[in-house]
Amino acid sequence: SLISCRHGKVRNTSCRVMRRKRFDVMQVPAILICVGATKAGTSWLHRELAAHPDCHFRTIKELHYFTAIQSDHLERRIKSHKAEMLRLGLELPATTVAKQHHLRRRIADLRDWVAVLSQRSLNSDAYCAYLMSGLAGQRIVGDFTPAYATLTVDTLIAMASIAPDVRFLYLLRDPVARMWSHLRMQARQGLTAPDAFAATVAQRFDAIVDTNPEMGGRGDYAGTIEKLRRAVAPDRLLVHFTEDMLTPAGMTILWSFLGLAGSQPNFDRKVHAGIALAMTPDQQARARVALRPQYDYVADAYPDLPDVWRANMKEVTQ
């Protein structure tokens, strides 16, 4: 069957991932799709799950398949992946044996993914086959692409249908903290004068705080949750607070959702930590007001908010 979506058509939604390997239906793993949010701990969680013995994750965290294919970004992504393959190949001779193993795996993953993208049309068979290539009995494979939060309901419905068991995870970080971290990440990219970092962040903040505090949908919790609720069955969707995830109790919720035995996460590990920069009191106040609709929506949908969320909501009402 064909499912229409914004970027094209997803072919054969039954996901015949068994062309290269034939598995019993009970052996087909669940596909975990993490749709964000940006700067909400997705990289940390990806590393934790990649190390879990029951998970099989390729080395490319953000595949961007459903956002890039048949879009203006596709050729740029193919070119970027090919350039990385070339760069890593040049690094191989000068690295340790242990690092060579990782680099070869990364190169192989990039090569396989370029082959999928080079089809230049949505093909759920190829997507699923890529995720499951190299599978050795693990129960979860996955794609962590925060940009998927910006997709349409129709595209999310199509994604939910590509395999018998597709589960969606959406992480919510305190809106002000998420926006500030996102701004610092953007300011750091391409920064040529370190002394200009604080000024660059401030300029970006002023440019978006009153008109686009959700930053193009990357922090639009209300909009994304509404779309996910329309597209995904309730038992296949977990909306989880980042602040809760980074606790043993919060990880227990995630293990249960994935049907995995718990492991011992490294809560102290920082992944892609940004350049430290504190918000001014004025910036904090303006951000709280601008993002108040997000706080209100989430509080109504999920009343058991983390403390930092409630503190920022209280500051707005005082």
Side-chain angles (χ1 to χ4, degrees):
S1 60
L2 296 176
I3 294 182
S4 298
C5 63
R6 180 163 64 98
H7 300 294
K9 293 181 181 295
V10 175
R11 301 192 314 159
N12 184 17
T13 58
S14 62
C15 189
R16 295 191 303 271
V17 299
M18 315 313 166
R19 288 177 174 171
R20 298 179 184 176
K21 288 187 176 181
R22 294 189 176 276
F23 294 99
D24 185 278
V25 172
M26 295 301 293
Q27 294 176 298
V28 178
I31 297 176
L32 173 63
I33 298 179
C34 181
V35 299
T38 301
K39 302 306 292 182
T42 61
S43 294
W44 178 88
L45 181 59
H46 182 267
R47 290 199 184 183
E48 290 296 326
L49 291 179
H52 194 287
D54 286 333
C55 295
H56 174 66
F57 282 55
R58 307 296 292 265
T59 59
I60 306 173
K61 177 208 166 200
E62 298 187 19
L63 295 177
H64 287 274
Y65 189 60
F66 298 94
T67 50
I69 207 78
Q70 295 185 354
S71 77
D72 295 338
H73 303 294
L74 177 60
E75 299 305 323
R76 186 177 67 189
R77 289 203 168 274
I78 292 175
K79 182 178 179 181
S80 175
H81 290 325
K82 288 182 175 179
E84 184 181 356
M85 289 170 57
L86 178 60
R87 177 178 58 81
L88 295 179
L90 294 174
E91 289 182 13
L92 269 172
T95 60
T96 64
V97 173
K99 190 173 181 181
Q100 284 180 355
H101 173 76
H102 171 76
L103 292 182
R104 288 193 176 96
R105 182 184 172 199
R106 177 74 175 185
I107 292 170
D109 287 352
L110 288 164
R111 181 182 62 246
D112 290 350
W113 189 235
V114 166
V116 175
L117 294 180
S118 295
Q119 296 182 27
R120 293 176 172 80
S121 63
L122 282 168
N123 182 340
S124 63
D125 286 355
Y127 174 73
C128 294
Y130 173 83
L131 293 178
M132 299 183 193
S133 178
L135 195 69
Q138 293 91 344
R139 300 170 61 184
I140 301 290
V141 298
D143 175 1
F144 277 51
T145 303
Y148 290 162
T150 65
L151 293 170
T152 65
V153 172
D154 286 345
T155 304
L156 292 169
I157 290 173
M159 293 166 64
S161 304
I162 62 173
D165 187 355
V166 183
R167 307 181 195 186
F168 286 75
L169 173 65
Y170 188 43
L171 296 174
L172 310 182
R173 181 182 178 184
D174 172 71
V176 171
R178 194 219 68 81
M179 182 185 73
W180 189 245
S181 180
H182 196 167
L183 286 170
R184 289 185 290 123
M185 178 187 71
Q186 289 183 336
R188 183 177 185 176
Q189 295 170 347
L191 186 69
T192 56
D195 292 344
F197 178 71
T200 301
V201 174
Q203 290 170 0
R204 288 179 177 271
F205 176 85
D206 289 337
I208 63 97
V209 66
D210 297 320
T211 58
N212 183 26
E214 293 85 11
M215 302 184 71
R218 298 302 186 97
D220 181 11
Y221 298 160
T224 301
I225 291 171
E226 286 297 313
K227 290 187 295 184
L228 288 168
R229 285 178 165 179
R230 292 172 59 189
V232 183
D235 65 338
R236 290 293 182 265
L237 172 63
L238 176 62
V239 177
H240 205 20
F241 293 108
T242 301
E243 295 83 1
D244 289 342
M245 177 188 70
L246 296 173
T247 67
M251 285 302 295
T252 297
I253 293 172
L254 184 61
W255 298 137
S256 177
F257 173 68
L258 297 176
L260 297 176
S263 65
Q264 188 60 44
N266 183 356
F267 294 121
D268 295 327
R269 176 166 54 188
K270 304 296 183 183
V271 180
H272 300 321
I275 299 175
L277 180 68
M279 299 182 79
T280 67
D282 176 67
Q283 288 169 333
Q284 290 176 335
R286 292 172 64 191
R288 288 175 184 134
V289 170
L291 290 166
R292 184 58 191 253
Q294 299 298 328
Y295 284 105
D296 287 343
Y297 175 90
V298 177
D300 183 63
Y302 306 97
D304 191 16
L305 295 175
D307 290 342
V308 65
W309 287 61
R310 292 202 174 279
N312 275 329
M313 291 181 70
K314 183 178 180 181
E315 288 290 337
V316 176
T317 60
Q318 288 181 344

